[in-house]
């Protein structure tokens, strides 16, 4: 039987910009999804590439004194190098300057013109070269005379132009969106697009005569085809559309186009309409992820805050970065990046939780059993919970992956990692060894080795270089079949396996390196003198209801809780508040064992300005009741996280 197919794409990137960590985000997500689907037995196809035409590139090449094609050739090499570095295993890399692409764009143009969907007219309007986008009078006015997307200067252009009659298909598109609730995700973007279409679609100008770096309009070569029409076509030209290529039959329609939130309109209005006009099926899903911000703002060359993934990869390893990108940020909403957050995530999750689990386990197997993993001999009272997770977590992770909820998929895997660390403390193998209980000891160490193996399988799509390192330490490097999805069931490691203890696979990173401090300082906005701001206007103790309303109190669920190293009083929590996950540090370590708080619903001050405690950014506060030396965390029994407290 032939394998089911899965076709996933990233946007094709402009070669005018240096690729930054935001571009890596989408590409790592697509690569992870592809690897995951392949593990699950799919014939997965992953397309990425470069969007090389347009006035912006033409101008940049001229400024560099180069032919546009030579100019882009050089940049494309840096793209490929970056993807190699990040182990991006794409199936195809399309360049819009390749003849295989240009031919298809021209054929499509001709077909739509013959059908009457494209006509020749005259265009007068506002054009942003930087965004390669036309805007209406109203859009420009609303934005205060500048480009509504980038805030830059817009040119007034008047020229003969070909137009695409988008409105012919508006009704059909609305019906499609209505009948396919999963087509545009997240839902907020879907609603935005529905409203946009309902306002009426203007005919789209799709050719230009004022520059020449583009694909010529067939039979009228003084016009070049609008870059977006050109670029969007990549998703099918790469499959050999119109060329009897069996890949087109096999993979189209795409299962998902991953796009940033800024280019949803092109992918959910213009692209589907082009496909409808061509009588082709529409992609099953367009997923708009959020942006990675620096100090809550956009990265840009002019601000000097562009985060270069190459530098980070050399410093921290690509597996760690890939993990960080997918674990730290919620796919679908914006997230803030800083090198401290990155280091913290690596230290806590990879060095402490995962890395230590491997070191502790291999150390104990070496010390107590001469380096041999023995068969489980006698059940302990703590086994069931861990063994149950081996069954439920893969399903939970799979469900999250289908929804592109990478952060939750990884949080699910961490249930095994966290539980396994706790299991060590519960079972105290050193005590079993001391008391001569070798049967239970064998069980505990076997179960721990399996916990590591099983979680490693689940992490493979995200961290493709890690399994080989773990498997060497577990002594099963010659059994790659034990790393496959089909081998997830408990009991894979043969009894008698000899392990090979090694160095920590994710060494702890010392946060305050000079370089980190430098990067952080450069990115930080200047501190304002806040003394005056902090002066209270009212001297009495009363606040008005409006004052109180400023405090945003919400129900949060504690997903993780752990001690903060070298800080006796502090606990670090991962708290889910509706759609988002936050890190909150609280000084209640004296009163609670972190493990007992996991799963509790608590009261969170959600709009508290983030503060750094021991280098960890705390994004909120947990409310407690206090009297004398007693303290109790306020918990909520029946309202789910995300609920408001007032
Ligand atoms: N060439 C077009 C896409 C054509 S697809 C048919 C384009 N290129 S781009 O290089 O400017 O941007 C590509 C993608 O990068 C967009 O999806 C954009 O949202 C994404 N990102 C740019 N900055 C980003 C972040 N800071 N964070 C996450 N993604 C961001 O648009």
């Amino acid at each position: 039987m032939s394998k089911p197919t899965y076709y996933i794409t990233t946007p094709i990137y402009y070669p005018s910009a240096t690729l930054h960590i935001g571009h890596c985000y989408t590409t790592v997500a697509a690569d992870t999804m592809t690897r995951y689907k392949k593990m699950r037995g799919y014939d997965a196809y992953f397309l990425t590439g470069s969007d090389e035409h347009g006035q912006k590139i033409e101008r940049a090449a001229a400024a560099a004194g180069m032919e546009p094609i030579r100019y882009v050739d050089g940049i494309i090499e840096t793209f490929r190098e970056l993807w190699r570095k990040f182990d991006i295993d794409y199936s195809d890399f399309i360049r819009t300057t390749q003849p295989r692409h240009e031919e298809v764009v021209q054929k499509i143009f001709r077909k739509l013109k013959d059908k009457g969907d494209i006509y020749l007219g005259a265009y007068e309007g506002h054009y942003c070269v930087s965004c390669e986008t036309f805007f209406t009078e109203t859009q420009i006015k609303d934005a205060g005379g500048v480009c509504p997307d980038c805030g830059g200067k817009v040119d007034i252009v008047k020229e003969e132009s070909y137009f695409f009659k988008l409105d012919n298909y508006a009704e059909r598109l609305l019906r499609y969106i209505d009948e396919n609730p999963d087509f545009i995700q997240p839902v907020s973007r879907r609603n935005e697009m529905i409203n946009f279409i309902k306002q009426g679609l203007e005919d789209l100008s799709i050719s230009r005569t004022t520059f020449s770096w583009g694909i010529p309009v067939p039979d009228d070569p003084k016009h070049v085809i609008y870059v977006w029409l050109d670029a969007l076509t990549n998703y099918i030209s790469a499959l050999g559309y119109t060329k009897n290529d069996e890949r087109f039959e096999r993979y189209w329609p795409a299962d998902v186009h991953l796009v940033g939130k800024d280019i949803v309109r092109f992918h959910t209005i213009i692209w589907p309409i082009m496909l409808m006009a061509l009588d082709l099926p529409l992609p099953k899903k367009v997923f708009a992820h959020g942006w990675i911000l620096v100090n809550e703002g956009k990265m840009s060359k002019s601000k000097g805050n562009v985060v270069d993934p190459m530098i980070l990869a050399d410093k921290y390893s690509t597996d760690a970065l890939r993990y960080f990108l997918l674990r730290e940020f919620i796919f679908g909403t914006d997230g803030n990046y800083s090198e401290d957050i990155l280091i913290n995530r690596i230290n806590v999750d990879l060095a402490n939780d995962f890395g230590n689990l491997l070191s502790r386990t291999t150390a104990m197997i070496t010390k107590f059993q001469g380096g041999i993993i023995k068969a489980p001999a006698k059940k302990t009272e703590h086994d069931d919970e861990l063994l149950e997770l081996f069954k439920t977590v893969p399903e939970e992770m799979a469900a999250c992956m289908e929804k592109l909820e990478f952060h939750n998929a990884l949080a699910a895997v961490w249930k095994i990692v966290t539980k396994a660390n706790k299991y060590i403390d519960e079972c105290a193998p050193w005590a079993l060894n001391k008391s001569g209980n070798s049967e239970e000891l064998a069980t505990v160490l076997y179960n721990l080795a399996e916990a590591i193996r099983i979680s490693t399988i689940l992490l493979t799509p995200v961290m493709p270089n890690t399994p080989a390192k773990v498997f060497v330490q577990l002594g099963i490097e010659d059994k790659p079949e034990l790393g496959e999805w089909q081998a997830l069931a408990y009991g894979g490691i043969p009894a008698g396996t000899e392990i090979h203890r090694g160095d920590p696979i994710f060494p702890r990173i010392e946060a305050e390196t000079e370089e980190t401090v430098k990067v952080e300082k450069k990115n930080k906005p200047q501190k304002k003198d806040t003394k005056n701001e902090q002066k209270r206007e009212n001297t009495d103790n009363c606040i008005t209801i409006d004052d109180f309303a400023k405090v945003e109190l919400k129900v949060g669920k504690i997903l993780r809780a752990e001690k903060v190293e070298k800080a006796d009083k502090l606990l670090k929590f991962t708290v889910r508040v509706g759609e988002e996950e936050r890190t909150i540090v609280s000084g209640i370590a004296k009163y609670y064992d972190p493990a007992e708080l996991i799963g509790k619903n608590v009261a969170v001050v959600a709009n508290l300005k983030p503060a750094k405690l021991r280098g960890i950014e705390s994004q909120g506060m947990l409310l407690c009741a206090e009297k004398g030396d007693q303290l109790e965390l306020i918990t909520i029994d029946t309202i789910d996280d995300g609920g408001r407290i007032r």
Side-chain angles (χ1 to χ4, degrees):
M1 214 172 66
S2 64
K3 290 178 175 182
T5 59
Y6 185 77
Y7 179 32
I8 185 166
T9 67
T10 69
I12 47 173
Y13 302 106
Y14 289 131
S16 54
T18 347
L19 291 188
H20 55 57
I21 195 168
H23 303 115
C24 267
Y25 184 39
T26 329
T27 317
V28 164
D31 182 68
T32 296
M33 208 53 207
T34 310
R35 288 173 186 271
Y36 167 74
K37 283 289 179 180
K38 283 183 179 168
M39 273 184 103
R40 305 300 313 268
Y42 279 72
D43 167 9
Y45 199 84
F46 161 25
L47 177 71
T48 188
S50 51
D51 183 0
E52 303 184 13
H53 289 125
Q55 194 168 13
K56 193 162 52 163
I57 311 283
E58 188 179 77
R59 285 185 183 170
M66 291 167 91
E67 280 297 311
I69 189 67
R70 292 288 144 262
Y71 174 79
V72 289
D73 278 349
I75 298 179
I76 299 316
E77 250 334 285
T78 66
F79 280 25
R80 291 189 196 270
E81 206 187 314
L82 180 65
W83 301 148
R84 266 195 300 274
K85 180 107 182 170
F86 273 78
D87 298 291
I88 302 295
D89 190 15
Y90 49 73
S91 314
D92 193 2
F93 185 104
I94 182 129
R95 298 183 55 176
T96 54
T97 49
Q98 289 168 330
R100 63 167 173 156
H101 171 77
E102 298 188 341
E103 285 162 23
V104 177
V105 174
Q106 287 190 319
K107 277 190 196 162
I108 287 178
F109 195 99
R110 199 187 294 273
K111 189 162 176 186
L112 300 189
K113 191 162 156 248
D114 291 348
K115 260 185 98 176
D117 286 322
I118 288 178
Y119 66 92
L120 184 63
Y123 178 81
E124 181 170 7
H126 306 267
Y127 189 73
C128 174
V129 176
S130 173
C131 300
E132 304 278 14
T133 309
F134 291 104
F135 294 100
T136 61
E137 189 73 42
T138 334
Q139 283 172 310
I140 299 293
K141 219 161 139 199
D142 289 349
V146 290
C147 168
D149 281 353
C150 73
K153 185 177 151 292
V154 284
D155 295 331
I156 296 210
V157 293
K158 180 170 186 187
E159 59 188 69
E160 183 185 89
S161 175
Y162 286 89
F163 285 86
F164 184 20
K165 294 185 187 166
L166 294 183
D167 214 34
N168 280 359
Y169 296 88
E171 279 302 313
R172 226 172 108 186
L173 180 57
L174 278 173
R175 213 175 321 123
Y176 184 83
I177 296 173
D178 185 49
E179 286 164 7
N180 296 275
D182 283 348
F183 174 51
I184 306 174
Q185 288 197 353
V187 174
S188 53
R189 303 284 163 212
R190 178 174 188 263
N191 297 339
E192 236 173 74
M193 289 307 119
I194 293 174
N195 288 340
F196 189 88
I197 303 167
K198 282 188 175 161
Q199 281 169 22
L201 298 177
E202 289 177 18
D203 291 351
L204 179 73
S205 164
I206 50 157
S207 76
R208 302 290 310 276
T209 53
T210 50
F211 65 92
S212 58
W213 181 237
I215 303 175
V217 166
D219 309 320
D220 197 357
K222 69 174 184 296
H223 288 260
V224 292
I225 297 173
Y226 176 44
V227 273
W228 271 99
L229 212 76
D230 168 350
L232 290 162
T233 302
N234 91 90
Y235 301 128
I236 53 175
S237 66
L239 298 179
Y241 171 61
T242 70
K243 293 184 188 146
N244 289 326
D245 190 321
E246 61 93 27
R247 282 174 314 155
F248 182 74
E249 286 305 315
R250 185 137 44 112
Y251 298 114
W252 191 257
D255 289 84
V256 59
H257 292 314
L258 297 185
V259 300
K261 59 179 186 176
D262 52 322
I263 56 173
V264 184
R265 195 156 40 102
F266 299 101
H267 283 83
T268 58
I269 297 178
I270 301 179
W271 179 227
I273 288 182
M274 281 170 71
L275 291 164
M276 282 177 176
L278 292 167
D279 294 316
L280 290 177
L282 268 46
K284 291 176 205 158
K285 187 181 295 186
V286 175
F287 193 102
H289 62 76
W291 273 37
I292 296 182
L293 307 173
V294 173
N295 284 319
E296 311 293 341
K298 248 179 162 180
M299 274 177 265
S300 77
K301 263 193 202 157
S302 57
K303 283 195 218 160
N305 63 357
V306 174
V307 181
D308 184 341
M310 275 293 195
I311 295 176
L312 292 182
D314 286 336
K315 267 168 95 175
Y316 303 113
S317 93
T318 46
D319 269 19
L321 274 173
R322 288 173 61 117
Y323 172 82
F324 164 74
L325 287 171
L326 298 183
R327 179 66 187 88
E328 186 68 37
F329 304 106
I330 299 175
F331 211 61
T333 51
D334 289 350
N336 205 35
Y337 167 86
S338 82
E339 201 159 344
D340 264 2
I341 300 177
L342 166 65
I343 292 173
N344 187 52
R345 182 58 85 178
I346 295 177
N347 280 348
V348 174
D349 291 11
L350 299 180
N352 272 12
D353 295 351
F354 189 69
N356 273 349
L357 177 62
L358 180 64
S359 324
R360 291 168 90 189
T361 303
T362 52
M364 290 189 291
I365 294 173
T366 306
K367 197 165 163 198
F368 305 146
Q369 295 186 161
I372 304 295
I373 303 177
K374 295 187 182 168
K378 188 176 170 204
K379 200 166 171 269
T380 84
E381 58 174 319
H382 303 291
D383 298 353
D384 287 350
E385 216 182 306
L386 180 65
L387 266 52
E388 181 61 21
L389 286 177
F390 294 162
K391 288 190 213 141
T392 55
V393 163
E395 285 165 25
E396 194 183 329
M397 179 211 176
C400 297
M401 290 297 281
E402 290 309 323
K403 291 185 272 176
L404 299 162
E405 289 177 3
F406 301 105
H407 65 295
N408 283 334
L410 288 167
V413 180
W414 245 248
K415 285 187 182 170
I416 294 181
V417 176
T418 310
K419 175 66 204 172
N421 275 315
K422 194 170 161 218
Y423 178 72
I424 298 180
D425 300 337
E426 288 167 346
C427 299
W430 47 90
L432 295 174
N433 181 57
K434 205 166 170 192
S435 64
N437 191 346
S438 59
E439 291 187 326
E440 284 195 13
L441 179 65
T443 306
V444 172
L445 296 180
Y446 185 86
N447 291 349
L448 287 171
E450 277 294 85
I452 297 168
R453 184 184 68 87
I454 291 167
S455 45
T456 303
I457 298 177
L458 300 175
L459 290 174
T460 306
V462 178
M463 299 200 285
N465 296 306
T466 298
K469 293 182 193 161
V470 174
F471 274 36
V472 167
Q473 296 213 17
L474 288 181
I476 50 173
E477 71 276 20
D478 58 341
K479 297 187 180 57
E481 67 283 3
L482 290 184
E484 286 167 13
W485 190 273
Q486 293 75 359
L488 274 170
Y490 170 73
I493 302 180
T497 299
E498 186 178 355
I499 61 147
H500 313 286
R501 272 197 84 193
D503 291 334
I505 49 170
F506 293 106
R508 227 190 128 69
I509 297 155
E510 285 316 317
E512 301 293 76
T513 61
E514 255 182 50
E515 247 166 301
T516 320
V517 176
K518 246 190 273 159
V519 178
E520 292 298 307
K521 279 200 179 137
K522 206 167 124 196
N523 291 342
K524 259 190 195 130
Q526 294 291 310
K527 261 203 177 139
K528 279 194 257 162
D529 179 4
T530 51
K531 258 192 201 157
N532 283 339
E533 285 173 24
Q534 283 168 0
K535 267 191 198 157
R536 294 196 58 168
E537 282 179 8
N538 293 332
T539 45
D540 65 19
N541 255 341
C542 294
I543 58 169
T544 65
I545 188 78
D546 291 342
D547 290 334
F548 180 67
K550 284 184 197 155
V551 184
E552 202 182 299
L553 292 173
K554 289 208 165 156
V555 181
K557 183 178 227 51
I558 298 184
L559 301 180
R560 292 220 337 257
E562 66 211 60
K563 292 203 161 107
V564 175
E565 267 190 25
K566 293 187 196 135
D568 296 346
K569 292 190 183 152
L570 301 182
L571 289 183
K572 184 188 146 197
F573 297 95
T574 306
V575 182
R576 191 179 64 208
V577 184
E579 292 267 281
E580 49 168 344
E581 263 180 39
R582 295 164 172 240
T583 300
I584 298 180
V585 179
S586 177
I588 57 171
K590 220 168 83 186
Y591 305 92
Y592 288 100
D593 171 9
E596 67 181 291
L597 297 176
I598 295 173
K600 290 215 182 319
N601 280 359
V602 291
V604 177
V605 181
N607 61 343
L608 195 67
K609 206 169 180 180
K612 264 202 189 145
L613 296 166
R614 291 282 163 145
I616 306 169
E617 187 174 80
S618 181
Q619 302 147 331
M621 189 170 106
L622 305 187
L623 292 187
C624 297
E626 208 177 356
K627 192 168 184 202
D629 56 4
Q630 276 183 301
L631 178 140
E632 192 179 330
L633 196 59
I634 293 179
T635 53
I636 291 114
D637 289 336
T638 50
I639 306 286
D640 277 345
D641 64 279
R644 251 185 78 197
I645 302 174
R646 49 197 183 109

